[in-house]
Amino acid sequence: NENPEVELNVKTGFSQKVYQMALNSEVHAGIIRGDYQWLGPKYLLCEEPYYLASAEPIDMENLPNFPRIHYKTDSPLQAELDTWWYSHYNKPPFIAMEVDTVDTCIQMVSKGLGYALLSGICLKNLKPFQKAKLTYKDGHTLQRKTWLYYRESTLKIRSVKAFVEFLRSYDSLS
């Protein structure tokens, strides 16, 4: 441990909540998935693609007829997923189940109860899943960025500066 005297107080939540905490100066730095308006410094930690994941192979043309396991996510991501969906299909998805966490969603998908739209990090160590990158008709992939947001003034705090430097020292967290 390079900074044994540094004590972190970690708060978690959906990116919208962490963003609001950063805006309101309730936290010194925030790790936030998605793009939000931010006037201070920010650093791109990683960018990851989204996938359609299923225990069984799925015919993408008939996807609206297959059961989808939907998990609660923040509204910017939901808007991105909806934009992708309606760029391919002219009818809404068949939502068979709505669950409150991505972990529950993954369990339901692994049991063959439907497919889900998941980030690459969720599927990193899950081998039995069938997966297909979510691409738009123009060929670009639906991706989500993960940012470190902070204020320049908070770098005067030694522990915050050490945290920011630690995260910036990695090429990618993914």
Side-chain angles (χ1 to χ4, degrees):
N1 187 346
E2 292 180 28
N3 298 288
E5 71 285 353
V6 172
E7 186 177 309
L8 291 177
N9 181 358
V10 178
K11 297 178 180 182
T12 64
F14 283 116
S15 288
Q16 276 182 302
K17 181 175 176 161
V18 175
Y19 171 67
Q20 286 300 319
M21 288 189 288
L23 271 181
N24 297 330
S25 297
E26 296 171 35
V27 294
H28 293 113
I31 297 174
I32 297 168
R33 297 181 74 206
D35 293 305
Y36 293 84
Q37 292 295 317
W38 184 253
L39 298 177
K42 64 182 184 178
Y43 180 74
L44 181 63
L45 296 171
C46 66
E47 190 168 4
E48 61 184 316
Y50 267 73
Y51 293 88
L52 181 141
S54 174
E56 311 283 327
I58 289 187
D59 175 6
M60 293 293 280
E61 286 184 31
N62 291 316
L63 196 58
N65 300 317
F66 287 95
R68 179 163 152 187
I69 313 300
H70 178 76
Y71 63 95
K72 182 180 177 185
T73 188
D74 57 42
S75 54
L77 175 57
Q78 189 58 57
E80 287 181 54
L81 294 172
D82 290 345
T83 298
W84 173 82
W85 181 269
Y86 289 107
S87 76
H88 291 281
Y89 307 106
N90 59 11
K91 69 186 234 183
F94 164 41
I95 305 289
M97 285 185 219
E98 290 191 45
V99 296
D100 59 353
T101 68
V102 72
D103 292 329
T104 303
C105 179
I106 290 168
Q107 289 300 315
M108 299 297 174
V109 172
S110 71
K111 303 290 186 218
L113 299 174
Y115 72 91
L117 306 179
L118 300 167
S119 68
I121 200 165
C122 293
L123 298 170
K124 202 170 196 168
N125 298 314
L126 301 175
K127 301 287 186 240
F129 282 93
Q130 304 288 318
K131 64 182 186 179
K133 273 189 185 173
L134 300 183
T135 57
Y136 290 94
K137 291 190 178 199
D138 68 3
H140 82 275
T141 303
L142 191 155
Q143 301 230 20
R144 194 162 196 213
K145 295 176 181 176
T146 300
W147 296 93
L148 171 64
Y149 287 11
Y150 58 97
R151 296 180 193 281
E152 198 67 45
S153 62
T154 62
L155 295 180
K156 293 175 186 166
I157 303 167
R158 204 164 39 122
S159 58
V160 175
K161 185 175 182 184
F163 179 71
V164 168
E165 287 173 355
F166 172 77
L167 288 178
R168 290 182 63 111
S169 71
Y170 287 91
D171 289 334
S172 175
L173 293 178
S174 58

